[in-house]
Amino acid sequence: MRIFYLAALVLLVVLLGAGSVLGASTQIVFYLFIFIMGVGLAFYAHWFKKFAEKINGLMPLIESDPDAYIAETEKLLQGKNPSNIRAMLILNISVAYMEKGDFKTALEKMRSINSSALKKANNSIYFLNYAYVFIHLGENAQAMDIIKKYKKKFLSLPMGGNLPRLIAFVQIFELMQEGKWDVATEQLKIARENWPDRVTGVDFSFLEEKLEQHNAHSDTQV
């Protein structure tokens, strides 16, 4: 996309130079430039539509065949894509590794992302996934730092797709870390009722194991 704008700028300079020579024909040169820009934008819009359709078509593979999703998306990264698109593709690859239970590689992928390329909701989703990965790797302090910093942004995200499950998971983890085990237990029960199945890596059994460990430790202290 940057190359397109650079080429357009060069073309504009050339055409304006030609216009200064042509004199009265400057208006014709201007309209020619607008026409060429329009053709270029139409071409880019067509390419982007096809590219987006391909990306969306691959999404179901994250759950059904994460290895295939990773392989196909890595191919897309070989092209010259805008930084925001590259960041989103890598983020999706990290989610596929979460689905595989490979949180170490998921973290590596997350760290390779330029978070500044992700704006608004996508930026919040990036840090939400970052916290989720840290939780599974036992990096509780780092997970809590992210949760505390971005909690308001997490809660302001549009509640669609997998986000409600992921946010509930992170909130229950936060309660456990704060020692609010009774509240965490109740929230975990509600989460299980709302989402009984594992979806895109969000598995509440991880938190249930933490709860069982806490209860077992508490019993030995009695």
Side-chain angles (χ1 to χ4, degrees):
M1 193 61 178
R2 291 178 180 176
I3 294 176
F4 173 74
Y5 282 124
L6 180 61
L9 180 61
V10 172
L11 179 60
L12 176 60
V13 172
V14 172
L15 290 177
L16 287 177
S20 64
V21 174
L22 294 173
S25 300
T26 302
Q27 189 174 11
I28 296 175
V29 173
F30 174 75
Y31 284 121
L32 178 61
F33 172 75
I34 294 298
F35 172 77
I36 294 173
M37 283 290 293
V39 171
L41 289 172
F43 175 80
Y44 177 78
H46 176 74
W47 170 84
F48 185 79
K49 180 181 178 183
K50 293 296 183 182
F51 189 76
E53 288 175 352
K54 187 169 186 178
I55 292 174
N56 292 332
L58 291 174
M59 290 301 289
L61 290 176
I62 289 182
E63 290 185 30
S64 63
D65 192 347
D67 286 322
Y69 179 84
I70 292 168
E72 291 300 317
T73 306
E74 290 284 3
K75 292 178 183 178
L76 296 178
L77 285 171
Q78 294 174 7
K80 296 289 185 180
N81 299 313
S83 59
N84 62 323
I85 293 178
R86 289 188 62 83
M88 282 302 303
L89 291 176
I90 298 173
L91 179 58
N92 288 342
I93 288 174
S94 73
V95 173
Y97 277 109
M98 293 179 210
E99 182 70 22
K100 287 163 55 69
D102 186 353
F103 291 96
K104 183 177 180 180
T105 304
L107 179 61
E108 292 174 0
K109 293 296 180 180
M110 295 285 292
R111 283 176 169 163
S112 71
I113 295 173
N114 178 11
S115 62
S116 63
L118 297 170
K119 306 301 181 183
K120 298 182 180 180
N122 288 332
N123 185 267
S124 298
I125 292 171
Y126 166 79
F127 284 105
L128 181 61
N129 279 279
Y130 220 142
Y132 185 75
V133 170
F134 274 137
I135 291 170
H136 279 82
L137 291 174
E139 302 289 349
N140 296 344
Q142 290 174 285
M144 286 296 290
D145 285 344
I146 294 175
I147 293 169
K148 294 296 185 183
K149 185 175 181 179
Y150 295 97
K151 184 175 181 179
K152 289 184 179 179
K153 291 185 177 181
F154 295 163
L155 296 178
S156 66
L157 284 168
M159 292 301 173
N162 193 45
L163 285 177
R165 297 176 179 83
L166 189 54
I167 292 172
F169 183 101
V170 169
Q171 286 183 303
I172 294 169
F173 169 81
E174 181 185 18
L175 290 169
M176 290 179 172
Q177 289 297 299
E178 293 176 343
K180 301 175 183 178
W181 291 96
D182 290 340
V183 181
T185 301
E186 185 62 30
Q187 291 299 313
L188 186 54
K189 179 181 178 182
I190 294 172
R192 266 303 192 188
E193 292 173 352
N194 291 334
W195 306 293
D197 301 321
R198 180 179 184 273
V199 179
T200 318
V202 181
D203 187 358
F204 288 103
S205 63
F206 178 90
L207 295 178
E208 289 173 338
E209 291 176 7
K210 297 296 181 184
L211 180 60
E212 290 173 2
Q213 292 171 7
H214 169 75
N215 291 338
H217 180 73
S218 297
D219 290 341
T220 60
Q221 299 296 315
V222 177

